[in-house]
Amino acid sequence: MDTPWTTHQVFNQFDALTGYNLFSTDAALQQAVAAAGAGWALSALSHFGAEVGCAQSFQHADEANRIVPVLHNFDARGRRIDQVEFHPAWHTLMAGFRQGGWVSQAFADTRPGRWAANIAAIYLHSQVESGSMCPATMTWASIPLLQREPALWAQLGDKLLSPLYDPRDVPLAQKASIYIGMGMTEKQGGSDVRANTTTATPVGAGGRGAPYLIRGHKWFFSAPMCDAHLVVARTADGGPSCFFVPRWRPDGSKNAVQIQRLKNKLGNKSNSSSEVEFLDAWGVLMGEEGRGIPTIIEMANFTRLSCVVSSASFIRQALVQALAYTRQRQAFGKVLAEQPLMRAVLADLALESEAALALSMRLAQAFEHADDPLQQAWKRIVTPAAKFWVCKRAVELTGEAMETFGGNGYVEDGPMARLYREAPVNSIWEGSGNVMCLDVMRAVARDPEAALALMAQAVDATPGDALVLAEAQALRQMLGTAPEQLEGQGRLFCQRLVLLLQAGLLRQTAPVAVADAFIHTRLGSTGWGRVAGALDPAGVDVAALLARAYPAAA
């Protein structure tokens, strides 16, 4: 018998989606991996998709971000240790990614499609927990640089390629596997690395592979518990050079890299970012003196790709969570996902998600086949353009998806608020939006023919499409603008270039309904883009888009 004061019942409330296979429910990702020649990776990716998508994995992500890293500068007896303590969930997440071999897949394997497989794994993991991708992708990006340093590679190669997870804070020689971080940014310079003041003095004669002592600071040092960092410092002639700075010196003593504090970040809470001081820290010169910026920028090109993929994954996760929730929640007498205006929003999210994925996977192919001139154009021009556009879109669209949950999306008891706070970091890290656009403008100015070739490829992929032809022509006309004027239009040029390329890619890889809807809304509507869902769904096969994005029965 009910008591007379029992008036509260919970109904029409639904938990955030967990416990599903992120890979097997993503038709676009499966097709992209297979099209890249990585059919051999489908089984492993499906296994990883189930692993990272399980309910416990979402719980680990919550714990690692809620119980944040803690810095211990000293031990109980006053000895300097500079250790960061992580919640056990962090180590579980780090181990899961490493044990799949995904930290080094693109470089450890020789099979066709290895880059697509590696990018797919980053895309899957980042949907659930992105902070643990920071040390993983920095390590991934450091491998090609270290391969060119014979002495370092002989010492470190096996540890970099290892699928074992070894969290111990011990000298390099004792480690089964290692992580590599980066140290570029200083207080006074930010993205302007040439303004750095940190110095490097040779211990002996100096030169490539020789030891130096590093003195100075870094305002952002990610992630401080990595086993070594690639650091930019000035040599005596004033030129910025790149140095390999281990956490422990070769003699087994702790290197003189002191962690001043951990950053109190908006998001990316699970990952420790720090400020450090170098008190004549021991390091080895990589490459030639004065060539530090080109060296570290090469590493940044890889990490910029990871930013694109990570932001694409945020859009994907936001879309799937929104679809799963709105297919259950009722409002005004009808399921939310059946309300016409909500369907317009969901369709827009679905288009954006598939376009971001298509661009990410196309860039993976460019990195795998980088010797070809057209692939080089994709790497050099499209990577920064994609980082600008996709990372910006993730900030807006995670907020839009959060709104589909109403007030439930704005509280911390679920993944949506964390996803929203996580999104801006990719737009800032490895160069802000303006830095990316300026990078594109410089690349286009140096090689306008490469930019024209990219546009021609998009036109060729969409034969006879008047909207694509018109957009390509408009971009060609922009290239004729005076350089100082074109620089001011950098964001507009990058946005239009990315949308044109995405239109071509979707025409090649996606169902007709997806490509038609993308071209119709992005290139055929002057009002699109101001807010998500501001499109006319009359010309869009919304049902097909949403069914493909995430199957209702999944």
Side-chain angles (χ1 to χ4, degrees), residues 385 388 437 440-441 490-499:
F388 161 71
C437 292
V440 172
M441 294 296 99
R491 287 189 171 214
L492 179 60
F493 180 86
C494 289
Q495 172 182 325
R496 296 183 72 171
L497 177 63
V498 169
L499 290 175

Side-chain angles (χ1 to χ4, degrees), residues 20-27 29-31 33-34 41-50 52 120 124 127 316:
Y20 72 105
N21 188 317
L22 276 67
F23 187 71
S24 66
T25 55
D26 191 336
L29 181 59
Q30 293 174 63
Q31 290 163 13
V33 171
L42 291 173
S43 177
L45 287 168
S46 182
H47 175 78
F48 186 58
V52 77
L124 294 171
Q127 288 183 50
R316 168 66 186 175

Side-chain angles (χ1 to χ4, degrees), residues 170-360:
V170 295
L172 289 169
Q174 300 175 34
K175 295 293 295 279
S177 65
I178 59 173
Y179 286 94
I180 308 293
M182 298 174 72
M184 292 191 288
T185 306
E186 298 184 6
K187 296 184 184 77
Q188 70 287 343
S191 294
D192 184 6
V193 181
R194 294 188 184 279
N196 284 6
T197 60
T198 296
T199 61
T201 304
V203 175
R208 186 169 189 168
Y212 286 69
L213 297 180
I214 316 296
R215 182 178 298 182
H217 82 280
K218 294 298 170 184
W219 187 235
F220 278 91
F221 194 70
S222 298
M225 287 307 292
C226 285
D227 299 285
H229 288 77
L230 302 191
V231 173
V232 174
R234 292 186 173 277
T235 50
D237 64 1
S241 302
C242 182
F243 295 88
F244 176 85
V245 181
R247 184 166 164 78
W248 296 82
R249 298 185 187 95
D251 65 5
S253 62
K254 184 184 174 298
N255 208 354
V257 181
Q258 294 190 352
I259 304 175
Q260 304 303 302
R261 62 174 175 172
L262 300 185
K263 295 291 192 180
N264 184 18
K265 296 172 292 183
L266 167 71
N268 204 246
K269 295 284 192 177
S270 66
N271 176 45
S272 59
S273 301
S274 63
E275 300 165 22
V276 299
E277 202 84 16
F278 301 111
L279 306 179
D280 286 343
W282 187 93
V284 174
L285 176 64
M286 292 179 58
E288 303 301 328
E289 281 197 19
R291 295 289 298 166
I293 292 178
T295 301
I296 207 74
I297 286 298
E298 181 181 348
M299 181 177 180
N301 283 336
F302 292 103
T303 50
R304 285 173 179 177
L305 173 60
S306 75
C307 287
V308 177
V309 177
S310 177
S311 289
S313 82
F314 296 162
I315 299 170
R316 168 66 186 175
Q317 181 62 199
L319 163 67
V320 171
Q321 290 291 344
L323 278 170
Y325 186 75
T326 58
R327 283 170 175 165
Q328 300 174 87
R329 176 83 170 176
Q330 297 235 359
F332 308 109
K334 188 184 290 187
V335 174
L336 272 176
E338 296 302 322
Q339 305 275 9
L341 195 51
M342 179 59 76
R343 288 171 69 76
V345 172
L346 295 171
D348 214 6
L349 290 170
L351 288 171
E352 200 75 27
S353 177
E354 183 145 359
L357 173 63
L359 190 62
S360 300

